[in-house]
Amino acid sequence: MTEDPSQYKKKMISFFPRVMLLMYGASFTGGQSILGKTSCPCIDATRVLSPIANCGGEYGLTPVGVTINRHGRTICVPLNYGTSCQNHDLTNDPKCFGGDDHLYASKNVSDVPGQADLLPDYCKEQWCYVDKTQCKNSSELLYRSDSFSKSNLFYSYSTCNSTAHSWRSFQTTQSIEDKLVQVTIPELWYPAIYKETEDKNMTPSSSIALYRNDSIPWKGLVIDYLNAIGKMSNTTFNFTHRSGGADKISTNTYTAAVYDVQVGISGMAASLFWVTSERLRMTAFSTPLMSDKTFLWVGSGKRSKASSEGFVDYAGKLA
């Protein structure tokens, strides 16, 4: 089927104005230099991105953009992306303009009444790509870009009198977005992690069987906490028991759970862990959410009330 030449002409006419609107449509803060601070100036990113241009060249035209990955989606950004202090994300990031993966989306969320306040905070922040060497000798904050791995680009918000806090925070919370994360549970420990059962006379063997039965829902404070995180980041956590091989590696259920993370059986392990040197050699730990105070009890060599009464009972009275 041959395309109607008149339709081709109409498409060509509508194509170019939209390119110009997006390439020059970002907003600026009044009185602020778009070139960044003299101690850490913005660079012309076009020189860096032009050699790797690979998108936007419809109908056989030379590509006018380059692809990057945002939130698991491939988008096409203009070659001057990151050039000068602009809120580049507002017109290019799907989370900000509310469009599809295409560079030339027809609707900008920030133009819709009442919708601008719903945008992630980083959408409104200004930044640019900067000269690493020059900025390193300044007091401005710069970060390596992971958008173009082979281009060795660095960006800065502070040179544009802005802050990277919103973007860095968003990156952290969105790193597991739309993912299914396998979570190893070391053992049942009420009320942190437990399973409801009608069996009131649990034996050690039946307790193990209950623990290994993933069809029975996991409950508890730790489970509720992770599910709340999952709801915010659109992430699903699949809770499961330790692997049999992990139990052969260590008789300690918590170290065994860490082993499952180390070898990739699970993406994480969840419970109230003690962070030991052995476990740190196996995998990384999150920032502690709480901590225990631990005391070393040293005997004096003399018989005391504690020794006759029993350490646990006596310590419990002191707590």
Side-chain angles (χ1 to χ4, degrees):
M1 180 177 180
T2 304
E3 186 174 353
D4 183 356
S6 63
Q7 294 298 319
Y8 172 81
K9 183 176 181 180
K10 289 179 182 179
K11 290 180 180 179
M12 288 293 290
I13 292 174
S14 64
F15 171 75
F16 287 103
R18 285 194 285 174
V19 175
M20 298 300 289
L21 284 173
L22 276 179
M23 291 183 74
Y24 299 102
S27 61
F28 301 91
T29 301
Q32 176 185 311
S33 171
I34 64 172
L35 302 179
K37 298 177 182 177
T38 55
S39 60
C40 181
C42 302
I43 64 171
D44 179 6
T46 306
R47 294 183 292 105
V48 180
L49 300 182
S50 292
I52 58 175
N54 60 355
C55 61
E58 298 182 4
Y59 310 109
L61 298 177
T62 301
V64 295
V66 60
T67 56
I68 62 174
N69 184 279
R70 279 290 182 272
H71 324 297
R73 305 166 66 183
T74 299
I75 62 173
C76 183
V77 298
L79 297 180
N80 67 344
Y81 178 72
T83 296
S84 73
C85 289
Q86 301 180 29
N87 39 21
H88 299 281
D89 297 313
L90 190 61
T91 51
N92 292 291
D93 191 307
K95 295 282 187 183
C96 300
F97 64 68
D100 54 23
D101 291 342
H102 201 275
L103 168 64
Y104 314 117
S106 59
K107 179 177 287 188
N108 190 324
V109 175
S110 62
D111 295 332
V112 181
Q115 294 300 304
D117 293 338
L118 302 178
L119 297 176
D121 290 338
Y122 74 85
C123 297
K124 308 158 192 175
E125 301 289 356
Q126 298 191 9
W127 60 273
C128 70
Y129 288 121
V130 296
D131 184 295
K132 172 191 174 184
T133 302
Q134 191 167 348
C135 290
K136 187 177 179 180
N137 295 322
S138 74
S139 60
E140 303 308 323
L141 303 177
L142 67 156
Y143 309 88
R144 187 186 184 95
S145 172
D146 57 3
S147 297
F148 312 101
S149 58
K150 297 182 180 180
S151 299
N152 200 33
L153 284 169
F154 288 77
Y155 64 90
S156 174
Y157 280 80
S158 64
T159 195
C160 298
N161 291 325
S162 188
T163 173
H165 175 74
S166 297
W167 170 242
R168 305 288 289 184
S169 177
F170 185 85
Q171 280 186 307
T172 301
T173 57
Q174 296 294 309
S175 61
I176 60 172
E177 182 183 23
D178 299 324
K179 288 185 173 65
L180 173 64
V181 180
Q182 188 88 347
V183 183
T184 293
I185 302 299
E187 64 180 14
L188 299 176
W189 184 22
Y190 185 88
I193 302 173
Y194 66 94
K195 293 182 177 183
E196 291 186 345
T197 176
E198 295 181 358
D199 187 355
K200 304 301 181 182
N201 300 304
M202 294 290 290
T203 64
S205 60
S206 61
S207 178
I208 292 176
L210 178 67
Y211 164 74
R212 292 189 173 279
N213 188 348
D214 287 342
S215 66
I216 300 176
W218 298 85
K219 297 188 176 183
L221 301 176
V222 173
I223 305 300
D224 292 343
Y225 178 79
L226 286 177
N227 283 335
I229 293 177
K231 186 175 181 180
M232 289 189 296
S233 61
N234 197 27
T235 301
T236 301
F237 292 106
N238 182 37
F239 303 102
T240 187
H241 58 273
R242 308 178 309 274
S243 68
D247 287 341
K248 289 185 177 180
I249 294 296
S250 176
T251 57
N252 183 287
T253 57
Y254 289 83
T255 302
V258 174
Y259 172 81
D260 277 352
V261 178
Q262 180 188 27
V263 298
I265 293 177
S266 292
M268 63 182 289
S271 189
L272 304 182
F273 283 85
W274 278 7
V275 182
T276 66
S277 57
E278 177 189 11
R279 294 169 187 170
L280 281 173
R281 288 192 295 268
M282 298 169 70
T283 190
F285 277 73
S286 67
T287 302
L289 301 177
M290 60 176 289
S291 59
D292 289 329
K293 286 186 177 180
T294 303
F295 299 91
L296 177 63
W297 187 282
V298 181
S300 64
K302 299 179 180 180
R303 185 172 180 80
S304 64
K305 184 178 180 180
S307 60
S308 61
E309 187 175 19
F311 168 74
V312 174
D313 293 334
Y314 184 70
K317 293 181 178 179
L318 297 178

